[in-house]
Amino acid sequence: MIAAAPPSPERQTDRSNGGAFTVSHRLVLSIAVPMTLGFLTTPLLGLVDTGVIGRLGEARLLAGLAVGAILFDLIFTTFNFLRSATTGLVAQAFGQGNLREQQAIFWRSLAIALVSGVVLVALSPLFLKAGLAVLQPGDDVAEVTRVYFFYRILAAPASLANYAVLGFVLGRGQGTLGLVLQTLINGTNIVLSITLGLVLGWGVAGVACATAIGEAVGALVGVALVIRRFDRAYRPAWAEIVARDRLMALFALNRDIMIRSFVLLAAFLVMTRLGTAQGPVVLAANSLLMTIFLLAGYYLDGLANAAEQLTGRAIGARYRPAFERALKLTALWSFGLALLTTLFFLLVGQGVIDALTTAEAVRFEAYRYVPWAALTALTGALAFLMDGVFIGATWSRDMRNMMLLAFALYGLAAATLVPAFGNHGLWAALNLFLLARGLLLLARLPKRAAASFAA
């Protein structure tokens, strides 16, 4: 009896993780719920940091912290592609049951994260100088920002490594592990922010160190947990990890997602800029109202994560029923929760505004636009969902192009509606932008799905 030949080292598989699979409500929620809870720890962290510095009683410290946070948001938004691209690629390899390629993708992403992080640290003086030149805070505020930036940037390699780790665990549908890691990072940060910043009196430096340590702890634990679960029988060779075609494909995917992220950021900057032109009261009102959109964004993002993993896995397995079922169930949950959110804020939106501010002028201004803000949950639901599908399927070029087209339509709508209707026109333009993003991607979906599942 002749033994069967082992799988090719180029494609060793474990069919227990690949092939046909059933998508259920439970499977969708097992990914979406933990990640939504994980995302919710981020604003809690922001509140704690603000509370710690706020208790020091100096406005310049709060302002310096805010400027520093903006700079890091801009920097790390640039590298968010590490998480998204890794999720899509791992999900497809997971659907194929290709354990060897899953490990290779992780090592590629982690290597890019670490190298990028070291480059960020090396170039940090230039980034800080450019950021302060653009934002132009006063000298006292700038000095606080420099302290915060100096300590926090040291954790850049760890921060980007966490993107790669989170992308990997989400690609495998391990939402609970993602929640554990997010909670560990932000929980460590919160405890140390209070301890270092307030108890030991380190102030802004303590808050920055707490963030850096939290990221480092999360990266070390995350990488250790991922590697511990690797099967040595499927360990990829170094030549496979750095294979030129695989690296180029990853860089192309990363490039498209990065462009998409920049354009999305630009859309919200335009919203802020046009609000600023209408005066401080309108700007403050819009800032409060965006809280409604951000709250909806947490669970919509969680459901988008579920769509990423399940649709990517279905494409890897070449099993269209799972793809269609995943699309149906994530859409059902996304639109159902979005409708409830819209109705909730239509009913109690004014009460929410009252809870957020005591400034009467801002309150009355915000009341006028509550319906527009409440509507963003519904108009944004399809955009979040389609982003998840296209990331999981790694159809990044379509996602990039449709984002650019939607942004052009947004600019046209804003240029037309804002002069005619003021802030009502601005909120209408934002809702049109969200709706256009979803509809444009939805229009591309049938053709792309047909090509991916073609025999």
Side-chain angles (χ1 to χ4, degrees):
M1 181 176 177
I2 300 175
S8 164
E10 299 300 322
R11 184 168 171 84
Q12 289 182 331
T13 61
D14 175 0
R15 298 314 302 175
S16 66
N17 287 328
F21 65 101
T22 301
V23 178
S24 63
H25 289 283
R26 182 176 182 177
L27 182 57
V28 169
L29 295 178
S30 72
I31 302 170
V33 172
M35 290 317 303
T36 298
L37 295 175
F39 294 146
L40 286 173
T41 63
T42 300
L44 176 61
L45 169 61
L47 288 173
V48 171
D49 285 352
T50 300
V52 167
I53 300 304
R55 290 184 64 84
L56 299 179
E58 294 187 54
R60 68 183 184 89
L61 298 180
L62 275 175
L65 177 67
V67 172
I70 290 171
L71 292 179
F72 279 99
D73 284 345
L74 291 172
I75 291 171
F76 289 131
T77 295
T78 304
F79 289 92
N80 192 49
F81 60 76
L82 281 169
R83 203 283 303 162
S84 300
T86 304
T87 297
L89 292 170
V90 170
Q92 291 186 24
F94 184 79
Q96 295 166 0
N98 193 337
L99 296 178
R100 194 178 188 89
E101 180 59 15
Q102 289 175 48
Q103 292 189 32
I105 292 167
F106 173 76
W107 290 120
R108 285 185 206 115
S109 298
L110 183 62
I112 292 173
L114 294 175
V115 171
S116 299
V118 171
V119 171
L120 278 178
V121 174
L123 298 179
S124 59
L126 296 178
F127 290 126
L128 177 59
K129 184 176 181 180
L132 293 177
V134 171
L135 297 175
Q136 296 186 343
D139 291 340
D140 288 347
V141 172
E143 184 57 35
V144 174
T145 300
R146 288 189 185 95
V147 172
Y148 178 80
F149 192 92
F150 173 79
Y151 287 104
R152 186 173 172 185
I153 196 64
L154 296 177
S159 299
L160 298 186
N162 283 321
Y163 284 179
V165 170
L166 183 60
F168 180 82
V169 300
L170 286 180
R172 289 180 53 83
Q174 298 168 329
T176 301
L177 180 55
L179 169 61
V180 169
L181 293 175
Q182 288 294 102
T183 304
L184 174 64
I185 293 168
N186 291 333
T188 301
N189 195 339
I190 288 171
V191 171
L192 290 179
S193 286
I194 296 171
T195 303
L196 300 179
L198 203 57
V199 177
L200 297 182
W202 293 9
V204 170
V207 169
C209 288
T211 302
I213 295 171
E215 294 285 357
V217 169
L220 290 172
V221 172
V223 171
L225 289 176
V226 168
I227 295 175
R228 183 181 179 184
R229 300 183 182 198
F230 282 166
D231 188 336
R232 293 185 178 182
Y234 300 104
R235 179 184 297 171
W238 176 250
E240 294 175 69
I241 296 173
V242 298
R244 187 175 185 277
D245 59 332
R246 299 299 176 89
L247 284 174
M248 293 306 295
L250 179 58
F251 281 126
L253 183 59
N254 287 342
R255 177 201 62 211
D256 292 337
I257 295 175
M258 182 174 67
I259 293 172
R260 168 257 183 198
S261 298
F262 269 132
V263 175
L264 182 60
L265 181 62
F268 291 112
L269 289 176
V270 168
M271 176 81 177
T272 301
R273 178 66 185 86
L274 294 178
T276 302
Q278 299 179 66
V281 174
V282 170
L283 179 62
N286 285 351
S287 178
L288 292 178
L289 291 166
M290 282 300 292
T291 303
I292 295 174
F293 173 70
L294 293 175
L295 287 173
Y298 289 119
Y299 66 74
L300 290 176
D301 226 5
L303 287 162
N305 288 157
E308 287 176 30
Q309 200 278 333
L310 296 172
T311 56
R313 179 181 173 185
I315 286 177
R318 299 183 66 81
Y319 188 57
R320 188 160 187 168
F323 179 88
E324 293 176 347
R325 177 72 171 168
L327 188 60
K328 178 181 178 180
L329 294 190
T330 52
L332 179 65
W333 280 102
S334 293
F335 282 104
L337 291 173
L339 177 60
L340 290 175
T341 301
T342 295
L343 293 175
F344 175 80
F345 282 109
L346 286 175
L347 292 173
V348 303
Q350 291 191 8
V352 172
I353 296 300
D354 289 345
L356 292 174
T357 182
T358 58
E360 291 297 326
V362 175
R363 280 180 173 178
F364 288 123
E365 188 68 21
Y367 293 163
R368 301 172 60 193
Y369 311 110
V370 164
W372 288 115
L375 191 60
T376 58
L378 271 178
T379 56
L382 184 60
F384 275 89
L385 176 61
M386 287 296 102
D387 272 355
V389 172
F390 275 67
I391 287 172
T394 62
W395 300 332
S396 61
R397 183 176 300 178
D398 291 291
M399 187 170 63
R400 177 200 67 194
N401 292 343
M402 295 305 101
M403 174 64 85
L404 290 169
L405 180 54
F407 184 76
L409 294 173
Y410 172 55
L412 180 62
T416 304
L417 298 175
V418 173
F421 302 103
N423 205 42
H424 284 290
L426 181 56
W427 278 97
L430 178 65
N431 277 280
L432 288 172
F433 168 65
L434 296 172
L435 190 60
R437 281 181 58 209
L439 291 175
L440 288 170
L441 289 173
L442 181 63
R444 295 288 300 162
L445 182 62
K447 182 178 180 180
R448 296 297 288 162
S452 293
F453 291 103

